[in-house]
Amino acid sequence: MTTIQLTTRSECATCGTPMRRTWTDDLIDSTWRAVDGTIVGTAEDVPAGAPTNTPELLEFLAARGDMHSYSTVLARYQMGHLELPWEHLHRAVEPASESDTRDVPECHGWPMRAAPSAWICRVDGTITRRELAVAAQHPQQGSGQRE
């Protein structure tokens, strides 16, 4: 079995900010963050003195009497969208997988998920170290190879 090297570097699809893959504490999943740790990017052409948070923006729009924009921003804010109109959530360009699907072990009839130095069962969450997967010692995965 070939060891899978997951890509750990990418860039934001919107602004090109360098990003890196970070693993959750339990090593079951990963997320992408900008290299500086942020998840929000800002457009370069934001005017000086622009509001820095949504409540300030709402006050500004109300003072201008721009009820259409006010309603739109308020609805987004109430639904949990905290970014300002000139901000975006970083979204990494997910690199294509470099793994050969024949090298991915199966568990309960499904391909296992890759994690650093381990495979994770999609059904019951069983974590199998890669060395054990190579030796096909996981009780549910059979030979560890797709036929």
Side-chain angles (χ1 to χ4, degrees):
M1 177 177 289
T2 307
T3 300
I4 293 177
Q5 284 296 329
L6 293 175
T7 304
T8 58
R9 300 281 177 182
S10 185
E11 61 183 32
C12 176
T14 304
C15 65
T17 297
M19 299 186 73
R20 69 170 188 258
R21 184 186 303 267
T22 56
W23 292 95
T24 57
D25 291 338
D26 58 7
L27 298 179
I28 290 180
D29 204 358
S30 65
T31 185
W32 290 94
R33 291 192 175 269
V35 173
D36 65 5
T38 62
I39 61 170
V40 176
T42 305
E44 294 178 11
D45 57 351
V46 178
T52 58
N53 58 50
T54 303
E56 285 180 15
L57 177 59
L58 289 169
E59 287 178 28
F60 173 77
L61 294 171
R64 280 188 35 199
D66 186 350
M67 297 293 51
H68 177 336
S69 296
Y70 179 91
S71 297
T72 302
V73 171
L74 180 61
R76 288 179 51 80
Y77 183 63
Q78 289 175 333
M79 294 185 71
H81 296 273
L82 302 179
E83 65 274 3
L84 294 162
W86 46 86
E87 296 176 331
H88 67 276
L89 295 176
H90 286 309
R91 185 176 52 86
V93 176
E94 187 73 39
S97 174
E98 296 178 12
S99 62
D100 185 342
T101 57
R102 294 174 296 187
D103 289 338
V104 179
E106 290 185 358
C107 184
H108 296 96
W110 290 90
M112 297 178 84
R113 290 178 49 200
S117 302
W119 292 103
I120 302 167
C121 176
R122 293 175 188 268
V123 175
D124 63 16
T126 302
I127 297 175
T128 304
R129 290 191 335 264
R130 290 189 193 268
E131 307 85 67
L132 295 178
V134 171
Q137 295 178 6
H138 188 282
Q140 296 292 327
Q141 81 186 42
S143 68
Q145 300 288 322
R146 289 188 179 182
E147 301 290 327

